[in-house]
């Protein structure tokens, strides 16, 4: 019997909506290494793109409650629900109840019987399976297909199929163990009874047999999917604070991992707003070099190192296709489609526009050199090899970093104004030089390791001198600048400066003071002081709060760091999923969800706190200085 993990509070909560939309946080994520779906607490599949993460959506109720489409299964009188994951898996359980009874729905994107999630083979079968069981009472179960606007729905046999007019070669089929009488089917079920329902898709010419040809039973398909997930999760090596949240974050990152390619999408969604009613709505269903490098390093720190090899192969193949690395790529390692607005969808809670594609792909961001070299250095340090073809590509990136470190770019936050010489970008060029020198020296590769090492030391010295602002009493977000941004908190995490250096302690305090949003939350920058070309406001960005945890910990403020980490983990609610941003005034989730960056922060801060609390690194009292503490290599 598949059992869900207990909910955090163990209880049911009333179904709710805001402006006709369930809150972002009232959705759970399932996936199969090719795509992912969001299942709302009201029993609806509210978001699903197929056959890939970056394909057009099959269901997009998340972005338009009337026209986006959904597939809902729930008691007709459902009034409250709860969700939980099956332990150490990507299977989601939703329990709904009303006056007449309660049901449990187990949702899975089915994996192949022989699936190996740590390997480099396709794992999914192209099937979303929903197993329904009545827990008590007599339930009028309602199965509702809310077809997206423009879809053509047809009945065939005991099921339904539909396709969109703009995707005639892509067909979606719905079936169930009981006949579907139409787009709405209602059945009376007693306690102990149940049914299974499935959704399958087929792209014409895809060249593989439909999943429906499988003779495996529903129980066998679910059990096989559980086995595959638990075999992968068994590799997680972590014994620090909140192990349940760290394990769930690792699984969430794996749910965003494209198999077999090696890319990790920044988030499975598009256009969830950074402030309700605002226009800061972006498509995150692509692989950012930076985000994926952060993610594979976080996984590596808890024993999941195979993902780093896949990412390196994918990233270097992608970047080799042009004269310089792009910021982001589609899942094939090619430029994403041009950014465009979707007039047919109103946006989450009418926060328009909805966008497909992302114009940041054409930006110049110099930190990419350091992201790739740092990932390669970590891989080589643990596996002892960098082959010659890989080295030639890495060498070119190091030389580019040496040339471009002080040139203006769009920075980690991807401003849409003319470029500026961002401190973080310059610092990551220094990281590229430093890691390149270490790799050349360790493996005797054809390169001038001493020249790169000397250049790294010189660039570091010049960055720390030019970024310091006496008036601010801290480092500034740009070389020679006078404003702050939260990426400064990452400098110690990339070994550019020690966390307990007085200048970094002062910078940490300045970021807390100027960018603080309350309760340990931080804005990544203030748009009115640091124009980004977008306009409007945004919520508090979660990743910098985890960077704050790390800085406090390494500065000797361990108790405060642990307390903040506790509060940040709690923001994941029942499911342990985190968004990109949070509304500081209400705690409501904002931005695309779940966000890889946020889960990277949770894992990395947990590892840092584990090392400190186990006494593996020297530390002093609550506010005492800490000297000679080797900071971790990545955020």
């Amino acid at each position: 019997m598949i059992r869900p993990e207990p909910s955090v509070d163990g209880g049911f909560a009333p179904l709710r909506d805001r402006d006709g939309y369930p809150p972002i946080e009232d959705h759970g994520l399932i996936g199969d290494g090719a795509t992912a779906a969001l299942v709302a607490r009201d029993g609806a599949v509210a978001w699903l793109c197929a056959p890939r993460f970056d394909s057009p959506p099959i269901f997009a109720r998340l972005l338009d409650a009337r026209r986006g489409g959904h597939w809902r299964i729930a008691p007709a009188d459902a009034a409250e629900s709860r969700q939980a994951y099956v332990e150490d898996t990507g299977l989601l359980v939703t329990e709904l109840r009303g006056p007449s009874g309660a049901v449990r729905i187990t949702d899975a994107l089915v994996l192949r019987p022989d699936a190996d999630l740590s390997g480099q083979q396709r794992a999914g079968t192209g099937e979303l399976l929903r197993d329904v069981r009545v827990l008590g009472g007599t339930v009028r179960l309602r199965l509702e297909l809310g077809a997206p606007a423009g879809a053509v729905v047809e009945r065939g046999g005991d099921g339904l199929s539909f396709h969109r007019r703009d995707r005639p070669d892509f067909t979606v089929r719905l079936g169930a163990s009981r006949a579907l009488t139409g787009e709405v089917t209602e059945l009376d079920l007693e306690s102990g009874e149940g049914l299974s329902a499935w959704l399958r898709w087929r792209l014409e010419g895809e060249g593989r047999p439909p999943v429906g040809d499988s003779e495996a039973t529903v129980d066998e398909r679910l059990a096989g999917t559980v086995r595959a997930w638990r075999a992968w999760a068994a590799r997680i090596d972590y014994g620090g604070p909140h192990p349940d949240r760290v394990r769930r974050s690792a699984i969430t990152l794996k749910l965003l991992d494209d198999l077999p390619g090696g890319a990790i999408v920044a988030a499975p969604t598009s256009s969830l707003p950074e402030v309700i009613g605002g226009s800061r709505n972006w498509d995150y269903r692509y692989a950012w070099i930076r985000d994926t490098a952060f993610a594979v390093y976080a996984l590596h720190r808890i024993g999941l190192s195979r993902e780093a090899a896949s990412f390196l192969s994918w990233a270097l193949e992608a970047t080799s296709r042009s004269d310089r690395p792009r910021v982001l790529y589609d899942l094939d390692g090619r430029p994403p489609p041009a950014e465009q607005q979707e007039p047919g969808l109103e946006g989450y809670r009418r926060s328009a526009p909805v966008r497909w594609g992302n114009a940041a792909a054409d930006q110049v961001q110099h930190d990419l050199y350091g992201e790739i070299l740092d990932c390669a250095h970590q891989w080589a340090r643990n596996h002892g090899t960098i082959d010659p073809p890989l080295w030639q590509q890495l060498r070119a990136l190091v030389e580019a970093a040496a040339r471009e470190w002080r040139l203006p770019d769009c920075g980690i936050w991807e401003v849409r104004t003319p470029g500026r010489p961002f401190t973080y970008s310059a610092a990551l060029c220094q990281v590229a030089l430093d890691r390149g020198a270490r790799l050349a020296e360790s493996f005797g590769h054809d390169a001038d390791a001493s020249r790169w090492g000397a250049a790294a030391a010189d660039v570091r010295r010049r960055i720390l001198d030019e970024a310091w602002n006496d008036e601010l009493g801290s480092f500034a977000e740009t070389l020679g600048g006078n404003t702050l941004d939260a990426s400064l908190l990452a400098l110690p995490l990339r070994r550019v400066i020690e966390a307990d250096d007085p200048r970094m302690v002062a910078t940490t305090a300045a970021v807390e003071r100027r960018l603080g949003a309350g309760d340990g939350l931080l804005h990544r920058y203030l748009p009115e002081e640091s124009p980004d070309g977008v306009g409007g406001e945004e919520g508090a960005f979660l990743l910098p709060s985890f960077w704050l945890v790390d800085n406090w910990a390494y500065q000797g403020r361990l108790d405060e760091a642990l307390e903040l980490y506790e509060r940040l983990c709690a923001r994941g609610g029942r499911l342990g999923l985190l968004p990109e941003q949070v509304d500081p005034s209400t705690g409501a989730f904002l931005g695309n969800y779940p966000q890889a960056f946020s889960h990277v922060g949770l894992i990395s801060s947990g590892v840092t706190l584990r090392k400190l609390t186990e006494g593996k690194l020297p530390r002093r009292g609550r506010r005492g200085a800490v000297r000679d503490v080797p900071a971790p290599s990545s955020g």
Side-chain angles (χ1 to χ4, degrees), residues 294 297-298 301 490 493-494 543 547 550 600-601 604-605 632-635:
F294 275 34
Y297 182 64
R301 297 181 77 188
L493 311 182
R494 312 315 292 266
L543 179 60
W547 290 342
D550 294 336
V600 164
S604 292
S605 291
S633 170
S634 184

Side-chain angles (χ1 to χ4, degrees), residues 427-448:
L428 267 290
C429 287
Q430 187 273 339
V431 168
L433 284 162
D434 176 80
R435 307 308 189 264
R438 293 172 186 267
L439 285 169
E441 188 175 73
S442 297
F443 299 104
H445 287 303
D446 178 23
D448 190 345

Side-chain angles (χ1 to χ4, degrees), residues 257-316:
D257 187 5
D258 176 58
L259 298 175
I264 295 179
V265 296
T269 57
S270 175
S271 303
L272 289 176
E274 296 175 4
V275 64
I276 300 302
S279 61
R280 292 174 173 267
N281 315 321
W282 315 111
D283 190 351
Y284 278 11
R285 301 169 304 139
Y286 306 107
W288 270 251
I289 293 291
R290 175 192 310 109
D291 298 43
T292 302
F294 275 34
V296 297
Y297 182 64
L299 293 174
H300 173 77
R301 297 181 77 188
I302 55 173
L304 303 169
S305 59
R306 297 178 193 174
E307 284 71 15
S310 297
F311 163 68
L312 270 178
S313 175
W314 174 86
L316 290 168

